[in-house]
Amino acid sequence: MLRHLIATVAALTAVAVLAPSAHAYTRFTFETERYVPARVTVESDDVHTRLELMRAGVVIKSTAADELDIGELVEGDVATVYFGQVPIASTTYEPLPVISDTVCIGHSSFYIRRAPGAVVLDAGAYKYGSSIGSDWTTGDSALVTLERPLQAGDVAYVLTSQVTAGVEIRSHRALRVPECPSPKPPSDPPVVAPPPITPPPSGPTEQQSLAALKGSIGATGSSLRPLRLQRLAKRASVALPFAFPEPGTVTLELVAKGKAIGTGARQSAANGKVSVSVKLTPAGRKLLKRAKKTLKVTVKGAFTASRPNVSTQRTAVTVTLKR
């Protein structure tokens, strides 16, 4: 009886150690490319044992790995990551962002449409691993402009990020650029292209600007997470990515144990992803070096758009750095 009681206590202790934390970071990534299988990936600080995809209430695929491939994703599919039978985090797939069907060889721009509140982390085209320089406008419907016209073999893509209830959802869409459709016979009436969709003169609302900033700072925090404390302590500064939702100025501040350990600022005349150099303070580097196992670091972001009569938007995200 005593031996059985000891074994039971040991098993319960092991489960308690491995049980998921209520505040751990989790990120789902949905990748879709026309004519190839779709992929669902999960990253989580929590110990997890299973990734599951459910459609219309029925589990259609399950894996013990951190990613699974599926023929295609359907709107409403639910991805869930589990620890045993306990769900850690879950999210629902939606078919946004999308790339305009007008993208084709010879064109040097194309339209994308993103979900409200989502941040465009990257958009453009590549070929054989070589990226083509690009830029894009703001708004839920954005125009992506490339440095050169699209060629055969190019792949157009868009990557967005959105944080909902503490879970980051990244969506990557890719499309192998097709040939442009043949012109219609002269007898057909000419097709008039719709005018470009542009944001209203007043720009996005404060709520939309704050949602965009939260997505950008969430992605910035994600890039800081893989850095090791000891290596970071030896550096005078660290370059962190930030996706400008619109032209403006951003200030980043790293805080640990109530103290500012690094600051940096960057101004951009266009939206898009840039690198912000955050200078670490001597006291901050000492704090990083002395951390025994882990250290919680808060990334604070303050963004002021270049538009007149706008207020500064502020948000923060906390990540755990490991030794």
Side-chain angles (χ1 to χ4, degrees):
M1 176 65 74
L2 179 61
R3 185 175 302 173
H4 176 71
L5 178 60
I6 293 174
T8 302
V9 172
L12 291 175
T13 303
V15 171
V17 171
L18 295 176
S21 169
H23 303 287
Y25 161 83
T26 300
R27 177 172 72 198
F28 290 95
T29 301
F30 294 103
E31 299 179 72
T32 59
E33 182 175 344
R34 198 171 291 181
Y35 310 123
V36 299
R39 173 168 292 178
V40 182
T41 306
V42 66
E43 299 175 53
S44 180
D45 287 343
D46 267 328
V47 176
H48 49 281
T49 57
R50 184 171 85 259
L51 173 61
E52 185 177 274
L53 190 66
M54 181 177 291
R55 179 175 300 164
V58 179
V59 176
I60 59 174
K61 196 156 188 181
S62 179
T63 178
D66 287 342
E67 61 183 36
L68 61 80
D69 292 338
I70 192 76
E72 65 174 346
L73 286 166
V74 177
E75 182 176 5
D77 285 352
V78 177
T80 305
V81 61
Y82 289 86
F83 170 74
Q85 298 301 318
V86 180
I88 296 175
S90 181
T91 189
T92 302
Y93 170 76
E94 62 176 45
L96 288 176
V98 294
I99 300 173
S100 168
D101 288 337
T102 59
V103 62
C104 62
I105 295 172
H107 289 186
S108 57
S109 64
F110 58 90
Y111 282 95
I112 58 175
R113 185 162 59 90
R114 65 180 178 179
V119 175
V120 178
L121 299 182
D122 202 1
Y126 63 87
K127 184 176 186 178
Y128 305 127
S130 176
S131 180
I132 304 169
S134 61
D135 193 9
W136 56 90
T137 61
T138 58
D140 292 344
S141 181
L143 177 66
V144 180
T145 304
L146 306 171
E147 288 184 347
R148 65 161 174 80
L150 292 165
Q151 302 173 355
D154 286 343
V155 176
Y157 68 91
V158 57
L159 172 65
T160 63
S161 171
Q162 189 169 13
V163 179
T164 304
V167 177
E168 182 184 3
I169 300 98
R170 290 195 178 183
S171 297
H172 184 274
R173 306 287 182 268
L175 170 66
R176 293 190 179 276
V177 179
E179 294 185 358
C180 291
S182 302
K184 292 186 177 181
S187 57
D188 290 344
V191 177
V192 179
I197 301 174
T198 57
S202 59
T205 64
E206 288 195 6
Q207 186 176 8
Q208 291 173 330
S209 297
L210 180 59
L213 178 61
K214 286 182 178 179
S216 293
I217 293 299
T220 301
S222 297
S223 70
L224 180 64
R225 192 184 308 276
L227 300 181
R228 295 297 180 181
L229 289 168
Q230 292 302 301
R231 292 185 180 179
L232 189 58
K234 297 178 181 179
R235 296 163 64 172
S237 63
V238 58
L240 298 177
F242 179 80
F244 275 81
E246 60 178 304
T249 302
V250 65
T251 300
L252 299 180
E253 183 181 29
L254 303 183
V255 178
K257 294 189 175 181
K259 299 180 180 179
I261 64 173
T263 57
R266 180 72 183 266
Q267 186 177 20
S268 177
N271 64 301
K273 185 170 61 176
V274 302
S275 180
V276 181
S277 178
V278 176
K279 185 177 180 181
L280 300 175
T281 66
R285 295 171 61 189
K286 185 179 295 184
L287 182 63
L288 293 169
K289 184 178 181 180
R290 290 180 176 178
K292 293 183 178 181
K293 292 184 178 180
T294 62
L295 181 66
K296 289 187 176 182
V297 177
T298 299
V299 183
K300 294 185 176 181
F303 178 75
T304 305
S306 298
R307 295 179 286 109
N309 303 321
V310 295
S311 58
T312 299
Q313 301 287 352
R314 304 177 188 276
T315 190
V317 63
T318 299
V319 299
T320 300
L321 303 186
K322 299 179 182 179
R323 186 178 181 87

